[in-house]
Amino acid sequence: MELNIRRLEESDWETLVYWWDTWPEWTAPAKDFLPGNGKGGFMVEKNNTPIVAGFLYTTNSKVVLLEWVISNPNYKEKDRQDAIELLIEGTENVSKQSGYKYMFSVCRNKRLMETHKKLNWKVDERPSHEIIKIIK
Protein backbone atom coordinates (compact mmCIF):
# COMPACT_ATOMS: atom_id res chain seq x y z
CA MET A 1 0.00 0.00 0.00
CA GLU A 2 1.18 3.51 -0.71
CA LEU A 3 1.78 6.39 1.61
CA ASN A 4 -0.93 9.02 1.62
CA ILE A 5 -1.19 12.51 3.06
CA ARG A 6 -4.35 14.02 4.48
CA ARG A 7 -5.48 16.93 6.61
CA LEU A 8 -5.47 16.43 10.36
CA GLU A 9 -8.76 15.55 12.02
CA GLU A 10 -10.01 15.98 15.58
CA SER A 11 -9.60 12.22 16.08
CA ASP A 12 -5.81 12.55 15.51
CA TRP A 13 -5.26 14.63 18.64
CA GLU A 14 -4.80 11.74 21.10
CA THR A 15 -2.29 10.11 18.74
CA LEU A 16 -0.26 13.31 18.44
CA VAL A 17 -0.20 13.84 22.22
CA TYR A 18 0.98 10.25 22.68
CA TRP A 19 3.81 10.83 20.17
CA TRP A 20 4.91 14.07 21.87
CA ASP A 21 4.80 12.42 25.28
CA THR A 22 6.72 9.35 24.07
CA TRP A 23 9.65 11.10 22.35
CA PRO A 24 12.32 12.28 24.80
CA GLU A 25 12.63 16.05 25.26
CA TRP A 26 9.21 16.76 23.70
CA THR A 27 6.22 18.26 25.42
CA ALA A 28 2.83 18.39 23.76
CA PRO A 29 1.87 21.96 22.92
CA ALA A 30 -1.50 23.31 24.01
CA LYS A 31 -4.15 22.63 21.40
CA ASP A 32 -4.92 26.33 21.08
CA PHE A 33 -1.22 27.03 20.38
CA LEU A 34 -1.56 25.12 17.12
CA PRO A 35 -3.24 26.21 13.89
CA GLY A 36 -6.86 25.20 13.59
CA ASN A 37 -6.93 24.29 17.28
CA GLY A 38 -4.85 21.19 16.54
CA LYS A 39 -6.33 20.44 13.11
CA GLY A 40 -4.31 22.89 10.98
CA GLY A 41 -1.85 20.44 9.59
CA PHE A 42 -1.30 17.19 7.78
CA MET A 43 -0.78 13.51 8.56
CA VAL A 44 1.05 10.94 6.43
CA GLU A 45 -0.10 7.37 6.88
CA LYS A 46 0.13 3.93 5.33
CA ASN A 47 -2.60 1.30 5.67
CA ASN A 48 -4.33 3.61 8.18
CA THR A 49 -1.20 3.66 10.33
CA PRO A 50 -0.18 7.25 11.15
CA ILE A 51 3.52 7.88 10.54
CA VAL A 52 4.29 11.60 10.69
CA ALA A 53 2.42 14.90 11.10
CA GLY A 54 3.14 18.60 10.97
CA PHE A 55 1.33 21.92 11.25
CA LEU A 56 1.09 24.87 8.87
CA TYR A 57 0.85 28.36 10.33
CA THR A 58 -0.37 30.83 7.73
CA THR A 59 0.48 34.53 7.87
CA ASN A 60 -0.66 37.79 6.29
CA SER A 61 2.55 37.83 4.24
CA LYS A 62 3.84 35.41 1.59
CA VAL A 63 5.29 33.07 4.23
CA VAL A 64 3.88 29.95 5.84
CA LEU A 65 5.50 28.13 8.76
CA LEU A 66 5.85 24.34 8.91
CA GLU A 67 6.14 23.48 12.59
CA TRP A 68 5.69 20.81 15.23
CA VAL A 69 6.72 17.99 12.90
CA ILE A 70 6.37 14.82 14.94
CA SER A 71 6.54 11.15 14.02
CA ASN A 72 5.22 7.87 15.32
CA PRO A 73 7.95 6.54 17.66
CA ASN A 74 6.73 2.96 17.10
CA TYR A 75 6.83 3.02 13.30
CA LYS A 76 9.98 1.14 12.24
CA GLU A 77 9.31 0.48 8.56
CA LYS A 78 11.83 1.35 5.83
CA ASP A 79 9.52 3.96 4.30
CA ARG A 80 9.57 6.21 7.38
CA GLN A 81 11.94 8.63 5.62
CA ASP A 82 9.69 8.63 2.54
CA ALA A 83 6.76 9.58 4.79
CA ILE A 84 8.69 12.53 6.24
CA GLU A 85 9.61 13.70 2.75
CA LEU A 86 5.99 13.35 1.62
CA LEU A 87 4.87 15.51 4.55
CA ILE A 88 7.35 18.27 3.68
CA GLU A 89 6.71 18.14 -0.07
CA GLY A 90 2.96 17.87 0.44
CA THR A 91 2.89 20.96 2.64
CA GLU A 92 5.07 22.75 0.09
CA ASN A 93 2.50 21.98 -2.62
CA VAL A 94 -0.46 23.07 -0.50
CA SER A 95 1.37 26.28 0.44
CA LYS A 96 2.27 27.05 -3.17
CA GLN A 97 -1.30 26.41 -4.32
CA SER A 98 -2.53 28.77 -1.58
CA GLY A 99 -0.35 31.59 -2.92
CA TYR A 100 2.54 31.45 -0.47
CA LYS A 101 6.06 32.07 -1.72
CA TYR A 102 8.20 31.14 1.29
CA MET A 103 8.24 28.38 3.88
CA PHE A 104 9.91 28.69 7.24
CA SER A 105 10.57 26.11 9.93
CA VAL A 106 12.45 25.80 13.21
CA CYS A 107 14.24 22.51 13.77
CA ARG A 108 16.75 20.97 16.14
CA ASN A 109 16.62 17.36 14.94
CA LYS A 110 19.67 16.65 12.78
CA ARG A 111 17.97 14.00 10.62
CA LEU A 112 15.04 16.30 9.94
CA MET A 113 17.45 19.10 9.04
CA GLU A 114 19.21 16.76 6.60
CA THR A 115 15.86 15.89 5.04
CA HIS A 116 15.10 19.58 4.57
CA LYS A 117 18.51 20.05 2.93
CA LYS A 118 17.83 17.10 0.61
CA LEU A 119 14.58 18.82 -0.42
CA ASN A 120 16.45 22.08 -1.21
CA TRP A 121 15.66 24.02 1.94
CA LYS A 122 18.34 26.44 3.14
CA VAL A 123 19.41 25.37 6.62
CA ASP A 124 21.11 27.97 8.81
CA GLU A 125 23.68 26.04 10.83
CA ARG A 126 23.79 28.60 13.65
CA PRO A 127 21.70 27.57 16.64
CA SER A 128 18.67 29.64 17.54
CA HIS A 129 16.08 29.35 20.27
CA GLU A 130 12.32 29.32 20.35
CA ILE A 131 11.13 32.05 22.67
CA ILE A 132 7.55 31.86 23.93
CA LYS A 133 5.60 33.94 26.42
CA ILE A 134 2.01 33.34 27.49
CA ILE A 135 0.45 36.81 27.59
CA LYS A 136 -2.99 35.86 28.88
Side-chain angles (χ1 to χ4, degrees), residues 103-120:
M103 290 189 76
F104 180 85
S105 189
V106 176
C107 180
R108 70 175 69 120
N109 180 287
K110 291 200 182 293
R111 290 186 71 194
L112 189 54
M113 282 190 282
E114 290 303 318
T115 300
H116 279 86
K117 284 180 188 177
K118 176 182 176 187
L119 299 174
N120 298 315

Side-chain angles (χ1 to χ4, degrees), residues 70-125:
I70 187 75
S71 64
N72 182 344
N74 301 315
Y75 191 82
K76 306 297 185 198
E77 302 299 320
K78 294 178 184 177
D79 57 4
R80 177 188 192 85
Q81 181 64 29
D82 294 334
I84 294 168
E85 290 177 21
L86 177 58
L87 175 71
I88 296 170
E89 292 175 321
T91 57
E92 287 175 13
N93 290 333
V94 166
S95 299
K96 191 182 300 183
Q97 290 171 1
S98 298
Y100 291 95
K101 186 176 178 182
Y102 309 100
M103 290 189 76
F104 180 85
S105 189
V106 176
C107 180
R108 70 175 69 120
N109 180 287
K110 291 200 182 293
R111 290 186 71 194
L112 189 54
M113 282 190 282
E114 290 303 318
T115 300
H116 279 86
K117 284 180 188 177
K118 176 182 176 187
L119 299 174
N120 298 315
W121 285 56
K122 182 184 179 328
V123 176
D124 185 346
E125 300 294 336

Side-chain angles (χ1 to χ4, degrees), residues 13 29-38 57 136:
W13 183 247
K31 215 174 181 184
D32 63 357
F33 189 83
L34 299 167
N37 201 36
Y57 289 85
K136 176 179 175 186

Side-chain angles (χ1 to χ4, degrees), residues 20-37:
W20 281 311
D21 289 346
T22 302
W23 281 110
E25 299 182 25
W26 274 90
T27 301
K31 215 174 181 184
D32 63 357
F33 189 83
L34 299 167
N37 201 36

